Amino acid sequence: MPLNVTGLPGLSMRFGTSREGLPINVQLVGSWQAEAAILHAASVLEGVSPVRGLHASL
């Protein structure tokens, strides 16, 4: 079932880069009304991500 139909909170974020230079993402899905839990988990992952300071050049 597509996540947006279930009503569960979810997010996807970049977590790394492959040897070929492609982005590696993680997807977090929480239980119903657990937005705070997945935002906290994403914050922890962002803090240890090897690409945390990487920004797109404009």
Side-chain angles (χ1 to χ4, degrees), residues 17-51:
T17 305
S18 71
R19 289 185 194 132
E20 295 80 18
L22 299 172
I24 297 173
N25 290 351
V26 295
Q27 183 178 24
L28 302 174
V29 179
S31 59
W32 194 62
Q33 294 187 338
E35 291 89 353
I38 65 165
L39 290 174
H40 176 71
S43 175
V44 171
L45 286 174
E46 185 178 39
V48 298
S49 171
V51 295

